[in-house]
Amino acid sequence: MVEPSDAGAEVLPPLPTRVAFVGRRGLFWLLLRNLLLNIVSLSFYRFWARTAVRRFYWSSVVFAGEPLEFTGRGLDLFIGFLIALAILAPLGFAFSTIAQMLEPGGMAQAITGWAYLFALFALTLIARYRARRYRLSRTSWRGIRFAVDGSTLRYVLLSTGWWLAVLATLGIATPWKRAAQRAYLTRTTTFGDRRFAFSGRPSALLLNWLFVLALVLGPIALVVWVNFNFIPLLVIQIMSAPRMQTGFVPLQGLGLLLVVPTLGLAAYVFYRVAELRMFTAATSLGEIRFRSTMVAWGVFFLLLLVAIAAAVTGFGILTAAPSMIRGLVASGWPLSLVLYGVVFGGFAIWAGILYFLINGWLRRTIIATYFESVTVENAALLDEIGQTAQRAPTRGEGLADSFEFGAS
Amino acid sequence: MQAFDVTYYDGRSAAPHPARARREGDRLILAAPAGEPIGAWPLADIRIVADTRDGLPGRIALGINSDARLTFSDPLLAVDLIGADRHIGGDRIGELRRGLRRAALPLAIAAAGIVLLFTVVLPMLAPVIAQRIPPAAEQRLGAATADTVIGIFARDAAGGRRSACAAPQGSAALAALVARLARPEPLPLTPQVRVIDADLVNAFALPGGHVLVFRGLLDLAQSPDELASVLAHEFGHLALRHPLELAIRQTTTAAVMGLIFGDVVGLSLFGSLAAQLVNSSYSRAAEAAADEAGLDRLRAAGIDGRAYAAFMGRLAAIEAQGGGSLPAHLSTHPPSAERAAQARASNWPSTPALDDAQWQALQRICAPPARPNTRG
């Protein structure tokens, strides 16, 4: 060993840089403001609301003292929505009209039905790809923009192929499918004049995924297999909740009803977090590499708490509703008004509680947990990155390549 | 003017450049720490992206549609720049105008499409689809809806759950009346008429041949003919498949509303509620058609059609007094003056819809079985 002091320090690579999530205040008030404006505007404010929330999150992710910047506008989303409406509504009606005109139960009707399903599937993929492209093209750090230059068609074809593989393997190929999609998305993304690379091995995720298959899809498949009427039955049960009080669900059934979903949730959360770690480690920008040390337990307990809160408040409201309806009708209120009032009011209370729990607490914590867990190697190289060759998104024209299609 | 320490990003590379910023008239002047100038921007072309908050530096965009940024940590910088010139932050009005121009065409197309959908496409499509729904599916839909309504309204004094009224003799009388009304012209699906023990004066037809009658309506009827006339009207709706058409219109409207109002939690329910408000009642034409079909059915069954006018007249009188809890829709609303006149004039050879014993039994269909009627 030679002198282990100063000389050694010089050849050591610089320490990885941490990404920070700044616990900024004001999310609650932002959500409240969005909610009220959404109500007043019959939900048409939602595009501007979503943009405001994005601006909050983007500006909370801080790297090397400088937060991300979201430069998108609510108007972009609104126009995207109008275009989506103009495409989706006629498509839906064209298909349903054609399906109605064909002989019921015939071959032609079945083919039309499948074609419609595939169109919806493809549109979902297109929407997701375009939404991501939109978000990244409106994201910058230190004035340098992200950009996406892949082809939507190739993404749809690739995804379709992998979906067929997933179906053929009864779901086992899912980690490879998701990694292949992520690889395409990552490799077609640039930051400034550098392109992201992706190299990861999804086989490490297989065990995690098998747990998900066994604990989530297994029970669902079993229930569907045992009783095809399960879902309509469930809907009727929920609609006439009082039946539950009179012991429709046997107690041992209730235990199973709680344990299986909890285990399923755990399996799913552990898979998604492991996948996120793998995807992060697989991503690189030249010599700049990323690592995540995210753990799943916190996210799992958080989700469990929110699910319990949703179930308890939902059940309470459902139990109280019929007697409230009867009481109000008995005291002379018009039936229709009471029905709408109680059903909508009860649901609004429930949805309101969930809105704040999910958006104000759950999402923020998950996003913060992830970004706080990320470190960047060779971050000093970021200074050398130049601006992207792609045209800057303009404000005023060029909507064809920029709109976010539908909801994200 | 005071100079502030800032970090300048030129928008061409991610490298930070330390700089000093100061305001000179209506321009922002940027210079390197040593003094050599970097650039100058009119204040009208710069925009404060973020203020200094939560320990983070503030950020300013330099130039319109430009990538160049400047970050600062002294909150006084923003104050100094804005100063008396409120126009900082770019050309808001112009931007709004450009935005509106950009949105105008998509907005017009989408709006025209939606108007067309609700006024032409949906009303045209609903009857076509209704004709093609398999009876089994209609049966399921109707049974689920009927069960829900009964689940909410059929209660004993303590609030416990009950099924529909089913005193044996009353049920037999009801079955006899239904059979007599159904005989002249068979309905698409076998009608299933049930009485719910609640005070509402109401009756309505559901998909799948279900008809629900509230006891309050039974109490208001003064003769079996009056009850028969209301049932005949509801059977008219069934014969014309109105309930299914309404359900289809509600579902499609809900789907479209969901599309328009977005998929945010709760808004799809909002959409379906809005859909029900839009399509909650039959059109006047549909009601008139059901009235006509009902009177035809009464004539064919040999039941006095004038009872319909009498019953609806009493109902209208109660409604006018503001009494009872009559919902504006879903239900038996009084027909137009023209229809009422037609009903009043419908004097054809007829016999009572039920005999006295049957009518008394039917009126007690909701009586608890523990107290059997002693009068027979």
Side-chain angles (χ1 to χ4, degrees):
Chain A
M1 293 287 285
V2 270
E3 305 101 308
S5 56
D6 295 330
E10 272 171 28
V11 292
L12 271 178
L15 283 174
T17 315
R18 282 208 156 274
V19 176
F21 186 89
V22 179
R24 280 182 45 204
R25 281 158 296 138
L27 178 59
F28 178 80
W29 295 112
L30 176 63
L31 291 175
L32 186 66
R33 200 187 89 130
N34 284 347
L35 184 64
L36 295 178
L37 285 171
N38 262 332
I39 291 170
V40 172
S41 68
L42 293 175
S43 91
F44 280 103
Y45 183 70
R46 65 184 186 275
F47 313 102
W48 289 268
R50 198 184 296 159
T51 303
V53 169
R54 274 182 198 163
R55 235 178 265 136
F56 171 87
Y57 277 116
W58 264 241
S59 68
S60 295
V61 175
V62 179
F63 181 68
E66 182 65 14
L68 296 177
E69 183 183 328
F70 185 69
T71 59
R73 310 227 126 184
L75 187 72
D76 301 334
L77 302 191
F78 180 56
I79 291 176
F81 156 76
L82 292 176
I83 294 172
L85 203 62
I87 295 174
L88 287 181
L91 186 79
F93 277 94
F95 267 110
S96 57
T97 313
I98 291 169
Q100 290 311 320
M101 300 202 167
L102 299 169
E103 186 198 343
M107 188 64 144
Q109 198 183 39
I111 291 172
T112 316
W114 284 107
Y116 184 49
L117 272 185
F118 181 76
L120 282 187
F121 166 80
L123 273 175
T124 312
L125 288 168
I126 293 170
R128 255 200 283 164
Y129 190 83
R130 294 204 152 218
R132 183 177 176 277
R133 183 168 80 184
Y134 169 80
R135 283 195 303 271
L136 281 169
S137 71
R138 263 79 174 166
T139 302
S140 71
W141 182 75
R142 288 186 177 180
I144 301 297
R145 279 176 279 116
F146 287 81
V148 172
D149 58 4
S151 122
T152 314
L153 178 67
R154 285 191 61 179
Y155 181 70
V156 171
L157 291 178
L158 174 126
S159 300
T160 309
W162 274 105
W163 265 112
L164 292 176
V166 165
L167 289 178
T169 58
L170 297 175
I172 292 172
T174 302
W176 282 272
K177 185 213 92 180
R178 291 178 60 89
Q181 285 176 312
R182 184 61 171 246
Y184 184 73
L185 293 178
T186 306
R187 286 170 190 152
T188 52
T189 304
T190 57
F191 175 63
D193 53 7
R194 309 292 163 91
R195 183 171 295 280
F196 282 95
F198 187 94
S199 64
R201 294 189 318 141
S203 53
L205 296 168
L206 182 60
L207 193 64
N208 269 320
W209 180 248
L210 289 180
F211 273 113
V212 178
L213 278 184
L215 289 167
V216 178
L217 302 180
I220 292 176
L222 193 71
V223 168
V224 172
W225 182 259
V226 166
N227 189 350
F228 261 104
N229 290 324
F230 177 70
I231 290 164
L233 205 71
L234 196 72
V235 171
I236 293 167
Q237 281 296 304
I238 291 169
M239 284 167 77
S240 48
R243 225 179 277 173
M244 287 187 190
Q245 292 171 304
T246 58
F248 180 82
V249 180
L251 219 62
Q252 61 269 42
L254 196 71
L256 201 66
L257 219 63
L258 293 179
V259 170
V260 171
T262 309
L263 288 176
L265 177 71
Y268 184 68
V269 170
F270 275 78
Y271 170 77
R272 286 297 297 269
V273 170
E275 187 190 73
L276 201 51
R277 280 197 306 263
M278 191 279 259
F279 284 174
T280 309
T283 304
S284 60
L285 188 65
E287 288 301 302
I288 303 162
R289 286 177 223 291
F290 305 88
R291 288 275 176 282
S292 165
T293 54
M294 189 177 183
V295 281
W297 282 107
V299 176
F300 165 64
F301 282 121
L302 208 63
L303 278 165
L304 195 62
L305 269 177
V306 171
I308 290 171
V312 168
T313 50
F315 187 74
I317 289 168
L318 274 181
T319 318
S323 63
M324 265 187 79
I325 294 175
R326 278 195 310 281
L328 285 169
V329 168
S331 58
W333 288 82
L335 169 65
S336 53
L337 205 68
V338 169
L339 273 180
Y340 292 137
V342 172
V343 171
F344 186 55
F347 190 84
I349 292 170
W350 184 70
I353 293 171
L354 282 190
Y355 170 79
F356 282 107
L357 274 181
I358 290 173
N359 293 303
W361 188 45
L362 182 68
R363 175 168 300 160
R364 182 197 175 122
T365 314
I366 291 175
I367 291 175
T369 310
Y370 172 67
F371 281 108
E372 289 279 343
S373 79
V374 174
T375 52
V376 184
E377 284 171 28
N378 300 324
L381 296 175
L382 283 166
D383 285 1
E384 296 168 12
I385 292 178
Q387 188 58 284
T388 174
Q390 288 213 8
R391 210 159 44 85
T394 49
R395 297 197 180 125
E397 298 102 319
L399 62 97
D401 70 338
S402 66
F403 66 82
E404 177 170 291
F405 191 96
S408 71
Chain B
M1 278 285 182
Q2 191 189 344
F4 297 90
D5 281 319
V6 299
T7 307
Y8 169 62
Y9 298 103
D10 59 13
R12 292 186 296 275
S13 98
H17 305 285
R20 313 248 319 144
R22 69 194 153 84
R23 184 179 157 186
E24 214 178 83
D26 54 1
R27 291 194 314 163
L28 173 77
I29 309 286
L30 212 57
E36 59 270 37
I38 293 174
W41 289 268
L43 287 187
D45 290 352
I46 74 173
R47 182 168 56 93
I48 297 187
V49 179
D51 251 320
T52 52
R53 263 184 62 185
D54 305 302
L56 288 176
R59 191 166 338 107
I60 287 173
L62 298 168
I64 294 169
N65 283 337
S66 151
D67 295 312
R69 293 290 185 272
L70 171 163
T71 64
F72 58 97
S73 45
D74 189 341
L76 283 178
L77 171 66
V79 177
D80 189 38
L81 286 183
I82 294 170
D85 304 320
R86 308 301 299 172
H87 62 269
I88 192 164
D91 177 14
R92 289 269 166 129
I93 304 289
E95 215 162 85
L96 187 69
R97 196 172 298 145
R98 275 193 297 276
L100 286 177
R101 204 176 306 143
R102 206 180 131 193
L105 185 65
L107 193 62
I109 293 173
I114 289 162
V115 168
L116 203 69
L117 206 62
F118 281 114
T119 55
V120 180
V121 181
L122 274 184
M124 245 171 56
L125 217 57
V128 179
I129 299 175
Q131 295 304 320
R132 293 180 174 263
I133 299 273
E138 185 184 343
Q139 202 46 270
R140 266 202 307 276
L141 173 70
T145 318
D147 281 351
T148 308
V149 175
I150 294 174
I152 291 176
F153 286 102
R155 297 285 161 164
D156 55 29
R161 235 186 110 79
R162 287 178 48 183
S163 43
C165 297
Q169 281 158 321
S171 300
L174 184 61
L177 180 57
V178 169
R180 183 169 171 186
L181 282 170
R183 202 172 303 129
E185 186 204 337
L187 291 164
L189 286 162
T190 322
Q192 297 180 46
V193 183
R194 280 181 286 180
V195 179
I196 299 175
D197 191 1
D199 292 330
L200 302 169
V201 182
N202 207 337
F204 48 85
L206 293 171
H210 292 268
V211 175
L212 298 179
V213 180
F214 286 92
R215 200 205 59 243
L217 187 136
L218 213 58
D219 294 345
L220 187 69
Q222 285 179 354
S223 71
D225 292 358
E226 291 188 0
L227 177 66
S229 70
V230 172
L231 283 180
H233 171 88
E234 298 306 330
F235 282 17
H237 281 308
L238 287 182
L240 298 164
R241 307 204 80 173
H242 287 161
L244 187 61
E245 229 175 82
L246 188 67
I248 290 166
R249 241 167 57 205
Q250 284 179 350
T251 355
T252 24
T253 310
V256 176
M257 292 276 187
L259 206 63
I260 295 170
F261 289 115
D263 261 340
V264 196
V265 178
L267 285 169
S268 46
L269 183 101
F270 180 74
S272 71
L273 278 176
Q276 292 207 19
L277 288 172
V278 170
N279 291 322
S280 57
S281 57
Y282 299 122
S283 64
R284 196 167 295 176
E287 285 298 342
D291 279 339
E292 198 167 330
L295 287 175
D296 286 350
R297 188 172 289 276
L298 287 175
R299 184 206 303 268
I303 298 172
D304 192 352
R306 288 172 298 183
Y308 190 52
F311 184 80
M312 286 304 168
R314 203 168 320 123
L315 195 62
I318 295 176
E319 236 174 21
Q321 286 166 17
S325 53
L326 295 171
H329 60 270
L330 278 175
S331 57
T332 51
H333 38 232
S336 63
E338 189 188 331
R339 295 280 150 196
Q342 194 189 335
R344 271 195 298 278
S346 52
N347 188 7
W348 47 66
S350 61
T351 56
L354 293 171
D355 65 35
D356 283 350
Q358 282 176 313
W359 175 232
Q360 279 164 20
L362 181 50
Q363 283 181 302
R364 283 197 303 274
I365 191 171
C366 292
R371 200 155 26 94
N373 46 29
T374 44
R375 285 199 311 143

